[in-house]
Amino acid sequence: MDSDDPNSCRPISDLPYLSKLIEHVVADRFREHLTTFNLLPARQSVYRPFHSTKTALLSVHNDLVRFLDSGKVSLLVLLDLSAAFDTVDTLTILSKWFSMESTTLSWFESYLANRTQSFTHAGRESDAQFFCRL
């Protein structure tokens, strides 16, 4: 990472307080919806209370040790999916996987549509990039 190149830096949120407050309320309600209707896979560690990277690693480690103890062969394939969310249709995920209806889906669409992010440091600004594809 080149610290002199603003395009290599991660942007931070510069939203008004009210927007941040609304985001937190919506995020809490969305997590509650996902939990209530059991819409997340059992082993998903992201966006869940009391789950973390450590939880995911312990689960993989436990599976590998269990298979090793039972004399089975294991193969571990690791993929970097850090930018995978940038390639999927957000509205399809919200409507199909998370069972959102039209009013809620329209609200998310209007909030996320055409949002860009950039980074400014020492008078230099990175290129504006879309952070949510709709």
Side-chain angles (χ1 to χ4, degrees), residues 94-113:
L94 293 174
S95 64
K96 303 291 185 208
W97 291 3
F98 298 133
S99 306
M100 282 196 182
E101 296 181 4
S102 61
T103 304
T104 309
L105 195 59
S106 295
W107 185 87
F108 270 94
E109 182 178 16
S110 70
Y111 187 79
L112 297 172

Side-chain angles (χ1 to χ4, degrees), residues 78-90:
L78 301 173
L79 302 172
D80 179 9
L81 300 175
S82 58
F85 191 72
D86 297 340
T87 64
V88 297
D89 180 9
T90 307

Side-chain angles (χ1 to χ4, degrees), residues 44-64:
Q44 180 169 331
S45 293
V46 126
Y47 309 122
R48 299 180 86 171
F50 310 112
H51 288 76
S52 66
T53 306
K54 289 179 184 178
T55 310
L57 287 174
L58 285 172
S59 177
V60 170
H61 179 265
N62 183 56
D63 289 348
L64 290 172

Side-chain angles (χ1 to χ4, degrees), residues 24-44:
H24 283 286
V25 169
V26 170
D28 288 345
R29 296 287 305 268
F30 189 55
R31 272 191 291 276
E32 182 181 323
H33 172 77
L34 296 176
T35 303
T36 301
F37 294 101
N38 201 24
L39 297 172
L40 293 175
R43 290 188 164 195
Q44 180 169 331

Side-chain angles (χ1 to χ4, degrees), residues 11 83 85-87 90 112-118 126-134:
F85 191 72
D86 297 340
T87 64
T90 307
L112 297 172
N114 301 318
R115 294 287 179 122
T116 60
Q117 60 188 10
S118 62
S126 68
D127 300 330
Q129 298 176 356
F130 284 97
F131 73 87
C132 185
R133 299 270 179 212
L134 293 178

